[in-house]
Amino acid sequence: MKLLYFAWLRQRVGHGAEDVALPPEVRTVRELIDWLKARGPGYGQAFEDLRVVRAAVNQDYVGLDHPVKNGDEIAFFPPVTGG
Amino acid sequence: MIRVQREDFDVGAEIKRLTAGNHGIGGIASFIGTVREGASHDAASTQIGAITLEHYPGMTERQLEAIEAEARTRWPLDAVLIIHRFGRLEPGEQIVLVVTASSHRQAALESCAFLIDWLKTKAPFWKLEDTGEGAKWVEARASDDAATARWQPKPNAAE
């Protein structure tokens, strides 16, 4: 599974992209976040307030209960500010 | 048509290329977004210089194409162009261009406003601004969500 981070989430995590092998107990975006938070303090800071975190699976916006599986491209980022 | 690029764009040349040869077009609307001096939405912040636009390559194009497709289902459009820049931009520089062309002005004007409102809340771009106290990420505004919400179909709207 490919994970991507943008804007201040990227800065807090410490990198913009990584490949991870998903443990079988991680089935949703929310469970993925909980699993990531246990990997280190940067992840904890990035995901400390989920009200300002948006997620995309395979480049479509999804909610936290959306399923995830190995082979997905999953991105985390703050609310967008383009235009 | 959508484009995501680092380079600046020439509005006149883009409109000319977009509408060339289509004599059914009766009206062309355009919106050009620029970097404002002191653009920060946070009153306590003091943005003094450039902004840097980060984006999600791939998803950006995908979302802009979806936004264009949505506009085309709502209005009879002859041509649509969205150009959004990324990278470091100085105050006064152009950030985004939206052009819509239709046989009548109302469709062109309304769809242009719709596209920029939707783009601001759905296209994955993030602005980092230089301030006197270092670089700061711009926070999303509730007023942008409200601007997008006004385009949602009314629950009981007649066709």
Side-chain angles (χ1 to χ4, degrees):
Chain A
M1 163 184 290
K2 187 177 184 184
L3 300 180
L4 301 171
Y5 309 95
F6 293 95
W8 53 257
L9 270 107
R10 169 177 52 75
Q11 293 175 325
R12 292 183 187 178
V13 167
H15 46 260
E18 61 184 329
D19 283 305
V20 300
L22 208 57
E25 69 271 20
V26 173
R27 287 154 305 187
T28 66
V29 173
R30 192 188 303 276
E31 288 169 353
L32 174 62
I33 290 172
D34 288 340
W35 181 72
L36 287 169
K37 282 166 83 169
R39 298 181 85 202
Y43 293 96
Q45 287 166 20
F47 293 109
E48 69 182 356
D49 182 0
L50 294 185
R51 290 172 304 175
V52 290
V53 174
R54 299 290 178 268
V57 173
N58 299 325
Q59 305 189 351
D60 279 322
Y61 291 102
V62 298
L64 294 180
D65 295 320
H66 190 88
V68 298
K69 60 183 188 306
N70 272 310
D72 282 345
E73 176 178 300
I74 301 183
F76 295 104
F77 44 78
V80 303
T81 57
Chain B
M1 186 176 19
I2 63 112
R3 269 178 21 223
V4 181
Q5 62 188 44
R6 192 178 288 277
E7 304 74 35
D8 197 11
F9 48 83
D10 178 334
V11 176
E14 295 294 346
I15 292 176
K16 203 168 182 176
R17 191 178 314 142
L18 183 71
T19 59
N22 188 338
H23 298 146
I25 292 171
I28 301 164
S30 64
F31 175 85
I32 302 137
T34 57
V35 181
R36 189 169 61 229
E37 184 94 37
S40 178
H41 305 313
D42 179 354
S45 170
T46 49
Q47 186 229 346
I48 52 167
I51 63 164
T52 303
L53 269 158
E54 180 173 328
H55 76 119
Y56 178 175
M59 182 169 173
T60 305
E61 288 83 353
R62 184 176 165 82
Q63 293 299 321
L64 290 177
E65 282 165 5
I67 293 166
E68 176 183 343
E70 177 68 26
R72 286 180 179 277
T73 68
R74 295 186 182 213
W75 291 275
L77 299 174
D78 289 283
V80 176
L81 174 64
I82 303 170
I83 301 177
H84 204 304
R85 296 178 66 193
F86 62 90
R88 186 178 167 85
L89 301 173
E90 299 291 334
E93 282 200 71
Q94 304 181 123
I95 304 174
V96 61
L97 172 66
V98 178
V99 180
T100 53
S102 184
S103 51
H104 297 290
R105 72 180 183 283
Q106 192 181 0
L109 287 167
E110 287 181 4
S111 60
C112 188
F114 164 85
L115 282 167
I116 189 64
D117 282 347
W118 267 45
L119 182 158
K120 282 186 91 78
T121 54
K122 297 189 189 299
F125 286 93
W126 302 275
K127 289 192 184 105
L128 179 68
E129 56 188 22
D130 292 348
T131 73
E133 300 93 45
K136 186 171 178 294
W137 293 99
V138 173
E139 287 182 24
R141 291 190 297 172
S143 61
D144 286 336
D145 286 331
T148 299
R150 78 188 168 104
W151 295 104
Q152 302 294 338
K154 293 186 182 72
N156 299 314
E159 281 299 312

